[in-house]
mmCIF file of all heavy atoms in Angstrom:
data_model
loop_
_atom_site.group_PDB
_atom_site.id
_atom_site.type_symbol
_atom_site.label_atom_id
_atom_site.label_comp_id
_atom_site.label_asym_id
_atom_site.label_seq_id
_atom_site.Cartn_x
_atom_site.Cartn_y
_atom_site.Cartn_z
ATOM 1 N N ILE S 148 -0.014 -5.872 10.313
ATOM 2 C CA ILE S 148 1.039 -5.142 11.045
ATOM 3 C C ILE S 148 1.359 -5.706 12.372
ATOM 4 O O ILE S 148 2.408 -5.364 12.981
ATOM 5 C CB ILE S 148 0.665 -3.653 11.173
ATOM 6 C CG1 ILE S 148 -0.582 -3.495 12.081
ATOM 7 C CG2 ILE S 148 0.469 -3.012 9.803
ATOM 8 C CD1 ILE S 148 -0.843 -2.034 12.437
ATOM 9 N N PHE S 149 0.519 -6.609 12.902
ATOM 10 C CA PHE S 149 0.777 -7.204 14.180
ATOM 11 C C PHE S 149 1.405 -8.616 14.028
ATOM 12 O O PHE S 149 1.761 -9.271 15.045
ATOM 13 C CB PHE S 149 -0.479 -7.338 15.019
ATOM 14 C CG PHE S 149 -1.133 -6.014 15.338
ATOM 15 C CD1 PHE S 149 -2.460 -5.888 15.405
ATOM 16 C CD2 PHE S 149 -0.260 -4.930 15.634
ATOM 17 C CE1 PHE S 149 -3.038 -4.622 15.704
ATOM 18 C CE2 PHE S 149 -0.829 -3.669 15.991
ATOM 19 C CZ PHE S 149 -2.207 -3.511 16.009
ATOM 20 N N GLN S 150 1.494 -9.095 12.833
ATOM 21 C CA GLN S 150 2.226 -10.362 12.579
ATOM 22 C C GLN S 150 3.669 -10.162 12.631
ATOM 23 O O GLN S 150 4.214 -9.021 12.508
ATOM 24 C CB GLN S 150 1.756 -10.936 11.197
ATOM 25 C CG GLN S 150 0.233 -11.272 11.144
ATOM 26 C CD GLN S 150 -0.149 -11.644 9.794
ATOM 27 O OE1 GLN S 150 0.615 -12.027 8.965
ATOM 28 N NE2 GLN S 150 -1.458 -11.579 9.549
ATOM 29 N N ARG S 151 4.415 -11.210 12.777
ATOM 30 C CA ARG S 151 5.857 -11.118 12.991
ATOM 31 C C ARG S 151 6.601 -10.634 11.774
ATOM 32 O O ARG S 151 7.679 -9.965 11.907
ATOM 33 C CB ARG S 151 6.429 -12.490 13.462
ATOM 34 C CG ARG S 151 5.959 -12.889 14.813
ATOM 35 C CD ARG S 151 6.852 -14.013 15.366
ATOM 36 N NE ARG S 151 8.225 -13.599 15.517
ATOM 37 C CZ ARG S 151 9.239 -14.413 15.925
ATOM 38 N NH1 ARG S 151 8.962 -15.689 16.128
ATOM 39 N NH2 ARG S 151 10.419 -13.967 16.045
ATOM 40 N N GLU S 152 6.103 -10.943 10.558
ATOM 41 C CA GLU S 152 6.834 -10.534 9.411
ATOM 42 C C GLU S 152 6.807 -8.989 9.270
ATOM 43 O O GLU S 152 5.875 -8.284 9.624
ATOM 44 C CB GLU S 152 6.223 -11.155 8.163
ATOM 45 C CG GLU S 152 4.788 -10.669 7.842
ATOM 46 C CD GLU S 152 4.247 -11.372 6.624
ATOM 47 O OE1 GLU S 152 4.360 -12.626 6.537
ATOM 48 O OE2 GLU S 152 3.647 -10.681 5.801
ATOM 49 N N ILE S 153 7.935 -8.474 8.783
ATOM 50 C CA ILE S 153 8.118 -7.004 8.674
ATOM 51 C C ILE S 153 7.157 -6.466 7.553
ATOM 52 O O ILE S 153 7.158 -6.963 6.424
ATOM 53 C CB ILE S 153 9.528 -6.643 8.335
ATOM 54 C CG1 ILE S 153 10.452 -6.990 9.545
ATOM 55 C CG2 ILE S 153 9.667 -5.165 7.960
ATOM 56 C CD1 ILE S 153 11.903 -6.779 9.268
ATOM 57 N N TYR S 154 6.386 -5.529 7.893
ATOM 58 C CA TYR S 154 5.425 -4.930 6.912
ATOM 59 C C TYR S 154 5.443 -3.392 7.056
ATOM 60 O O TYR S 154 5.981 -2.722 6.171
ATOM 61 C CB TYR S 154 3.999 -5.444 7.229
ATOM 62 C CG TYR S 154 3.019 -5.059 6.167
ATOM 63 C CD1 TYR S 154 2.944 -5.797 4.955
ATOM 64 C CD2 TYR S 154 2.066 -4.062 6.354
ATOM 65 C CE1 TYR S 154 2.009 -5.449 3.951
ATOM 66 C CE2 TYR S 154 1.135 -3.707 5.410
ATOM 67 C CZ TYR S 154 1.105 -4.429 4.195
ATOM 68 O OH TYR S 154 0.199 -4.061 3.201
ATOM 69 N N ALA S 155 4.919 -2.834 8.124
ATOM 70 C CA ALA S 155 4.870 -1.392 8.288
ATOM 71 C C ALA S 155 6.323 -0.802 8.387
ATOM 72 O O ALA S 155 6.561 0.276 7.902
ATOM 73 C CB ALA S 155 4.071 -1.055 9.540
ATOM 74 N N MET S 156 7.205 -1.578 8.986
ATOM 75 C CA MET S 156 8.578 -1.049 9.102
ATOM 76 C C MET S 156 9.241 -0.936 7.732
ATOM 77 O O MET S 156 10.158 -0.091 7.553
ATOM 78 C CB MET S 156 9.404 -1.966 10.021
ATOM 79 C CG MET S 156 9.055 -1.839 11.489
ATOM 80 S SD MET S 156 9.134 -0.116 12.086
ATOM 81 C CE MET S 156 10.819 0.264 11.781
ATOM 82 N N ALA S 157 8.805 -1.727 6.755
ATOM 83 C CA ALA S 157 9.339 -1.572 5.397
ATOM 84 C C ALA S 157 8.927 -0.251 4.838
ATOM 85 O O ALA S 157 9.694 0.470 4.150
ATOM 86 C CB ALA S 157 8.856 -2.721 4.546
ATOM 87 N N ALA S 158 7.660 0.181 5.184
ATOM 88 C CA ALA S 158 7.155 1.431 4.723
ATOM 89 C C ALA S 158 7.961 2.585 5.364
ATOM 90 O O ALA S 158 8.301 3.587 4.732
ATOM 91 C CB ALA S 158 5.694 1.565 5.022
ATOM 92 N N VAL S 159 8.266 2.449 6.659
ATOM 93 C CA VAL S 159 9.031 3.488 7.401
ATOM 94 C C VAL S 159 10.406 3.576 6.768
ATOM 95 O O VAL S 159 10.907 4.738 6.547
ATOM 96 C CB VAL S 159 9.139 3.143 8.868
ATOM 97 C CG1 VAL S 159 10.116 4.062 9.581
ATOM 98 C CG2 VAL S 159 7.762 3.143 9.500
ATOM 99 N N ALA S 160 11.035 2.468 6.482
ATOM 100 C CA ALA S 160 12.368 2.502 5.887
ATOM 101 C C ALA S 160 12.344 3.184 4.507
ATOM 102 O O ALA S 160 13.255 3.988 4.166
ATOM 103 C CB ALA S 160 12.911 1.086 5.768
ATOM 104 N N GLY S 161 11.296 2.877 3.744
ATOM 105 C CA GLY S 161 11.194 3.547 2.443
ATOM 106 C C GLY S 161 10.974 5.036 2.619
ATOM 107 O O GLY S 161 11.514 5.813 1.817
ATOM 108 N N GLY S 162 10.252 5.436 3.654
ATOM 109 C CA GLY S 162 9.995 6.863 3.899
ATOM 110 C C GLY S 162 11.266 7.572 4.315
ATOM 111 O O GLY S 162 11.531 8.727 3.871
ATOM 112 N N ILE S 163 12.062 6.910 5.139
ATOM 113 C CA ILE S 163 13.335 7.524 5.587
ATOM 114 C C ILE S 163 14.301 7.726 4.422
ATOM 115 O O ILE S 163 14.964 8.708 4.289
ATOM 116 C CB ILE S 163 13.954 6.707 6.689
ATOM 117 C CG1 ILE S 163 13.107 6.752 7.971
ATOM 118 C CG2 ILE S 163 15.391 7.144 7.009
ATOM 119 C CD1 ILE S 163 13.569 5.837 9.060
ATOM 120 N N SER S 164 14.298 6.701 3.562
ATOM 121 C CA SER S 164 15.163 6.776 2.322
ATOM 122 C C SER S 164 14.706 7.927 1.428
ATOM 123 O O SER S 164 15.551 8.648 0.848
ATOM 124 C CB SER S 164 15.204 5.449 1.577
ATOM 125 O OG SER S 164 13.905 5.175 1.027
ATOM 126 N N TYR S 165 13.374 8.126 1.353
ATOM 127 C CA TYR S 165 12.834 9.231 0.521
ATOM 128 C C TYR S 165 13.336 10.549 1.047
ATOM 129 O O TYR S 165 13.785 11.438 0.330
ATOM 130 C CB TYR S 165 11.332 9.179 0.531
ATOM 131 C CG TYR S 165 10.643 10.059 -0.450
ATOM 132 C CD1 TYR S 165 10.062 9.540 -1.611
ATOM 133 C CD2 TYR S 165 10.514 11.443 -0.185
ATOM 134 C CE1 TYR S 165 9.401 10.390 -2.511
ATOM 135 C CE2 TYR S 165 9.899 12.285 -1.109
ATOM 136 C CZ TYR S 165 9.329 11.778 -2.225
ATOM 137 O OH TYR S 165 8.698 12.605 -3.150
ATOM 138 N N TRP S 166 13.302 10.719 2.403
ATOM 139 C CA TRP S 166 13.708 11.924 3.048
ATOM 140 C C TRP S 166 15.239 12.202 2.815
ATOM 141 O O TRP S 166 15.626 13.309 2.445
ATOM 142 C CB TRP S 166 13.399 11.848 4.529
ATOM 143 C CG TRP S 166 14.084 12.940 5.303
ATOM 144 C CD1 TRP S 166 13.935 14.286 5.195
ATOM 145 C CD2 TRP S 166 14.975 12.717 6.389
ATOM 146 N NE1 TRP S 166 14.707 14.958 6.112
ATOM 147 C CE2 TRP S 166 15.410 14.031 6.848
ATOM 148 C CE3 TRP S 166 15.530 11.607 7.019
ATOM 149 C CZ2 TRP S 166 16.267 14.185 7.887
ATOM 150 C CZ3 TRP S 166 16.434 11.777 8.043
ATOM 151 C CH2 TRP S 166 16.771 13.103 8.495
ATOM 152 N N LEU S 167 16.012 11.143 3.001
ATOM 153 C CA LEU S 167 17.517 11.280 2.842
ATOM 154 C C LEU S 167 17.836 11.688 1.415
ATOM 155 O O LEU S 167 18.708 12.538 1.185
ATOM 156 C CB LEU S 167 18.158 10.011 3.235
ATOM 157 C CG LEU S 167 18.146 9.633 4.729
ATOM 158 C CD1 LEU S 167 18.780 8.285 4.982
ATOM 159 C CD2 LEU S 167 18.915 10.757 5.542
ATOM 160 N N LEU S 168 17.190 11.032 0.426
ATOM 161 C CA LEU S 168 17.525 11.305 -0.938
ATOM 162 C C LEU S 168 17.088 12.749 -1.362
ATOM 163 O O LEU S 168 17.833 13.465 -2.056
ATOM 164 C CB LEU S 168 16.818 10.316 -1.890
ATOM 165 C CG LEU S 168 17.369 8.878 -1.822
ATOM 166 C CD1 LEU S 168 16.458 7.931 -2.514
ATOM 167 C CD2 LEU S 168 18.743 8.827 -2.439
ATOM 168 N N ASP S 169 15.937 13.183 -0.810
ATOM 169 C CA ASP S 169 15.481 14.533 -1.068
ATOM 170 C C ASP S 169 16.436 15.542 -0.420
ATOM 171 O O ASP S 169 16.764 16.603 -1.004
ATOM 172 C CB ASP S 169 14.081 14.742 -0.599
ATOM 173 C CG ASP S 169 13.499 16.088 -0.931
ATOM 174 O OD1 ASP S 169 13.419 16.414 -2.131
ATOM 175 O OD2 ASP S 169 13.120 16.812 0.006
ATOM 176 N N TYR S 170 16.878 15.237 0.755
ATOM 177 C CA TYR S 170 17.804 16.104 1.487
ATOM 178 C C TYR S 170 19.140 16.234 0.689
ATOM 179 O O TYR S 170 19.761 17.350 0.690
ATOM 180 C CB TYR S 170 18.102 15.521 2.830
ATOM 181 C CG TYR S 170 19.067 16.344 3.685
ATOM 182 C CD1 TYR S 170 18.688 17.524 4.282
ATOM 183 C CD2 TYR S 170 20.407 15.904 3.824
ATOM 184 C CE1 TYR S 170 19.587 18.296 5.079
ATOM 185 C CE2 TYR S 170 21.356 16.652 4.581
ATOM 186 C CZ TYR S 170 20.909 17.796 5.190
ATOM 187 O OH TYR S 170 21.810 18.526 5.917
ATOM 188 N N LEU S 171 19.566 15.165 0.006
ATOM 189 C CA LEU S 171 20.820 15.191 -0.772
ATOM 190 C C LEU S 171 20.628 15.824 -2.132
ATOM 191 O O LEU S 171 21.579 15.924 -2.884
ATOM 192 C CB LEU S 171 21.344 13.755 -0.915
ATOM 193 C CG LEU S 171 21.762 13.051 0.402
ATOM 194 C CD1 LEU S 171 22.130 11.599 0.147
ATOM 195 C CD2 LEU S 171 22.968 13.797 0.982
ATOM 196 N N GLY S 172 19.379 16.239 -2.453
ATOM 197 C CA GLY S 172 19.154 16.906 -3.703
ATOM 198 C C GLY S 172 18.968 15.983 -4.940
ATOM 199 O O GLY S 172 19.036 16.475 -6.036
ATOM 200 N N VAL S 173 18.659 14.764 -4.661
ATOM 201 C CA VAL S 173 18.403 13.795 -5.726
ATOM 202 C C VAL S 173 17.108 14.156 -6.452
ATOM 203 O O VAL S 173 16.183 14.661 -5.778
ATOM 204 C CB VAL S 173 18.369 12.366 -5.205
ATOM 205 C CG1 VAL S 173 18.049 11.366 -6.305
ATOM 206 C CG2 VAL S 173 19.677 12.008 -4.500
ATOM 207 N N THR S 174 16.995 13.929 -7.700
ATOM 208 C CA THR S 174 15.775 14.304 -8.477
ATOM 209 C C THR S 174 14.630 13.509 -7.976
ATOM 210 O O THR S 174 14.761 12.336 -7.410
ATOM 211 C CB THR S 174 15.975 13.946 -9.959
ATOM 212 O OG1 THR S 174 16.166 12.526 -10.137
ATOM 213 C CG2 THR S 174 17.153 14.714 -10.562
ATOM 214 N N ILE S 175 13.386 14.016 -8.211
ATOM 215 C CA ILE S 175 12.184 13.427 -7.678
ATOM 216 C C ILE S 175 11.955 12.011 -8.303
ATOM 217 O O ILE S 175 11.560 11.102 -7.646
ATOM 218 C CB ILE S 175 10.936 14.295 -7.930
ATOM 219 C CG1 ILE S 175 9.683 13.678 -7.392
ATOM 220 C CG2 ILE S 175 10.780 14.599 -9.450
ATOM 221 C CD1 ILE S 175 9.641 13.524 -5.936
ATOM 222 N N GLU S 176 12.323 11.856 -9.600
ATOM 223 C CA GLU S 176 12.178 10.570 -10.244
ATOM 224 C C GLU S 176 13.055 9.519 -9.570
ATOM 225 O O GLU S 176 12.563 8.404 -9.264
ATOM 226 C CB GLU S 176 12.524 10.663 -11.766
ATOM 227 C CG GLU S 176 11.602 11.587 -12.530
ATOM 228 C CD GLU S 176 11.983 13.046 -12.496
ATOM 229 O OE1 GLU S 176 13.027 13.371 -11.806
ATOM 230 O OE2 GLU S 176 11.348 13.848 -13.168
ATOM 231 N N MET S 177 14.303 9.832 -9.342
ATOM 232 C CA MET S 177 15.225 8.885 -8.751
ATOM 233 C C MET S 177 14.834 8.594 -7.272
ATOM 234 O O MET S 177 14.949 7.487 -6.844
ATOM 235 C CB MET S 177 16.645 9.389 -8.896
ATOM 236 C CG MET S 177 17.682 8.417 -8.300
ATOM 237 S SD MET S 177 17.702 6.841 -9.223
ATOM 238 C CE MET S 177 18.270 7.426 -10.833
ATOM 239 N N THR S 178 14.402 9.645 -6.594
ATOM 240 C CA THR S 178 13.949 9.517 -5.226
ATOM 241 C C THR S 178 12.838 8.500 -5.125
ATOM 242 O O THR S 178 12.812 7.625 -4.240
ATOM 243 C CB THR S 178 13.597 10.840 -4.610
ATOM 244 O OG1 THR S 178 14.698 11.723 -4.621
ATOM 245 C CG2 THR S 178 13.040 10.694 -3.169
ATOM 246 N N VAL S 179 11.821 8.649 -5.994
ATOM 247 C CA VAL S 179 10.650 7.779 -5.970
ATOM 248 C C VAL S 179 11.082 6.292 -6.306
ATOM 249 O O VAL S 179 10.685 5.395 -5.607
ATOM 250 C CB VAL S 179 9.637 8.236 -7.019
ATOM 251 C CG1 VAL S 179 8.600 7.177 -7.239
ATOM 252 C CG2 VAL S 179 8.948 9.536 -6.510
ATOM 253 N N VAL S 180 11.910 6.165 -7.302
ATOM 254 C CA VAL S 180 12.355 4.833 -7.748
ATOM 255 C C VAL S 180 13.134 4.116 -6.603
ATOM 256 O O VAL S 180 12.895 2.924 -6.213
ATOM 257 C CB VAL S 180 13.204 4.883 -8.980
ATOM 258 C CG1 VAL S 180 13.821 3.525 -9.258
ATOM 259 C CG2 VAL S 180 12.310 5.300 -10.144
ATOM 260 N N VAL S 181 14.101 4.796 -6.031
ATOM 261 C CA VAL S 181 14.945 4.240 -4.952
ATOM 262 C C VAL S 181 14.141 3.903 -3.661
ATOM 263 O O VAL S 181 14.220 2.826 -3.096
ATOM 264 C CB VAL S 181 16.114 5.151 -4.592
ATOM 265 C CG1 VAL S 181 16.876 4.576 -3.426
ATOM 266 C CG2 VAL S 181 17.034 5.280 -5.819
ATOM 267 N N SER S 182 13.232 4.792 -3.291
ATOM 268 C CA SER S 182 12.358 4.614 -2.161
ATOM 269 C C SER S 182 11.415 3.411 -2.374
ATOM 270 O O SER S 182 11.248 2.589 -1.472
ATOM 271 C CB SER S 182 11.580 5.855 -1.873
ATOM 272 O OG SER S 182 10.675 5.639 -0.752
ATOM 273 N N PHE S 183 10.926 3.300 -3.594
ATOM 274 C CA PHE S 183 10.024 2.189 -3.972
ATOM 275 C C PHE S 183 10.787 0.926 -3.880
ATOM 276 O O PHE S 183 10.373 -0.075 -3.234
ATOM 277 C CB PHE S 183 9.525 2.403 -5.371
ATOM 278 C CG PHE S 183 8.820 1.216 -5.955
ATOM 279 C CD1 PHE S 183 7.484 1.005 -5.678
ATOM 280 C CD2 PHE S 183 9.481 0.365 -6.801
ATOM 281 C CE1 PHE S 183 6.793 -0.096 -6.210
ATOM 282 C CE2 PHE S 183 8.795 -0.749 -7.360
ATOM 283 C CZ PHE S 183 7.476 -0.967 -7.056
ATOM 284 N N LEU S 184 12.018 0.882 -4.415
ATOM 285 C CA LEU S 184 12.826 -0.377 -4.421
ATOM 286 C C LEU S 184 13.233 -0.791 -2.990
ATOM 287 O O LEU S 184 13.211 -2.014 -2.678
ATOM 288 C CB LEU S 184 14.063 -0.223 -5.333
ATOM 289 C CG LEU S 184 13.792 -0.066 -6.799
ATOM 290 C CD1 LEU S 184 15.066 0.203 -7.551
ATOM 291 C CD2 LEU S 184 13.064 -1.338 -7.335
ATOM 292 N N ILE S 185 13.569 0.168 -2.164
ATOM 293 C CA ILE S 185 13.953 -0.149 -0.812
ATOM 294 C C ILE S 185 12.846 -0.756 -0.007
ATOM 295 O O ILE S 185 12.979 -1.776 0.689
ATOM 296 C CB ILE S 185 14.488 1.122 -0.077
ATOM 297 C CG1 ILE S 185 15.893 1.467 -0.637
ATOM 298 C CG2 ILE S 185 14.608 0.859 1.440
ATOM 299 C CD1 ILE S 185 16.454 2.751 -0.101
ATOM 300 N N THR S 186 11.626 -0.158 -0.175
ATOM 301 C CA THR S 186 10.470 -0.690 0.525
ATOM 302 C C THR S 186 10.176 -2.171 0.098
ATOM 303 O O THR S 186 9.922 -3.028 0.930
ATOM 304 C CB THR S 186 9.227 0.191 0.254
ATOM 305 O OG1 THR S 186 9.487 1.515 0.662
ATOM 306 C CG2 THR S 186 8.060 -0.340 1.063
ATOM 307 N N CYS S 187 10.188 -2.349 -1.176
ATOM 308 C CA CYS S 187 9.873 -3.696 -1.762
ATOM 309 C C CYS S 187 11.003 -4.683 -1.340
ATOM 310 O O CYS S 187 10.697 -5.839 -0.949
ATOM 311 C CB CYS S 187 9.812 -3.640 -3.284
ATOM 312 S SG CYS S 187 8.365 -2.750 -3.920
ATOM 313 N N LEU S 188 12.243 -4.291 -1.406
ATOM 314 C CA LEU S 188 13.362 -5.163 -1.133
ATOM 315 C C LEU S 188 13.299 -5.638 0.351
ATOM 316 O O LEU S 188 13.484 -6.831 0.647
ATOM 317 C CB LEU S 188 14.683 -4.473 -1.368
ATOM 318 C CG LEU S 188 15.967 -5.310 -1.157
ATOM 319 C CD1 LEU S 188 15.930 -6.518 -2.141
ATOM 320 C CD2 LEU S 188 17.233 -4.487 -1.376
ATOM 321 N N ILE S 189 13.051 -4.701 1.235
ATOM 322 C CA ILE S 189 12.960 -5.069 2.738
ATOM 323 C C ILE S 189 11.843 -6.040 2.924
ATOM 324 O O ILE S 189 11.972 -7.057 3.640
ATOM 325 C CB ILE S 189 12.814 -3.782 3.537
ATOM 326 C CG1 ILE S 189 14.085 -2.950 3.508
ATOM 327 C CG2 ILE S 189 12.402 -4.163 4.973
ATOM 328 C CD1 ILE S 189 13.973 -1.643 4.242
ATOM 329 N N ARG S 190 10.697 -5.799 2.249
ATOM 330 C CA ARG S 190 9.549 -6.708 2.444
ATOM 331 C C ARG S 190 9.853 -8.106 1.862
ATOM 332 O O ARG S 190 9.574 -9.098 2.504
ATOM 333 C CB ARG S 190 8.355 -6.064 1.743
ATOM 334 C CG ARG S 190 7.126 -6.976 1.731
ATOM 335 C CD ARG S 190 6.341 -6.822 2.970
ATOM 336 N NE ARG S 190 4.991 -7.519 2.843
ATOM 337 C CZ ARG S 190 4.553 -8.417 3.572
ATOM 338 N NH1 ARG S 190 5.268 -8.823 4.636
ATOM 339 N NH2 ARG S 190 3.375 -8.956 3.397
ATOM 340 N N PHE S 191 10.431 -8.098 0.643
ATOM 341 C CA PHE S 191 10.762 -9.405 0.066
ATOM 342 C C PHE S 191 11.795 -10.197 0.883
ATOM 343 O O PHE S 191 11.604 -11.401 1.115
ATOM 344 C CB PHE S 191 11.307 -9.172 -1.371
ATOM 345 C CG PHE S 191 10.279 -8.712 -2.357
ATOM 346 C CD1 PHE S 191 10.607 -7.804 -3.414
ATOM 347 C CD2 PHE S 191 8.961 -9.179 -2.291
ATOM 348 C CE1 PHE S 191 9.728 -7.477 -4.272
ATOM 349 C CE2 PHE S 191 8.034 -8.776 -3.206
ATOM 350 C CZ PHE S 191 8.408 -7.910 -4.207
#
Side-chain angles (χ1 to χ4, degrees):
I148 64 170
F149 297 144
Q150 297 174 19
R151 292 196 62 184
E152 64 182 48
I153 292 176
Y154 189 79
M156 287 305 300
V159 172
I163 293 174
S164 66
Y165 190 106
W166 167 58
L167 290 175
L168 290 168
D169 185 58
Y170 178 78
L171 294 173
V173 178
T174 63
I175 182 64
E176 296 86 357
M177 184 60 66
T178 297
V179 167
V180 170
V181 174
S182 178
F183 171 83
L184 292 176
I185 287 176
T186 304
C187 291
L188 183 62
I189 291 176
R190 175 85 170 124
F191 289 146

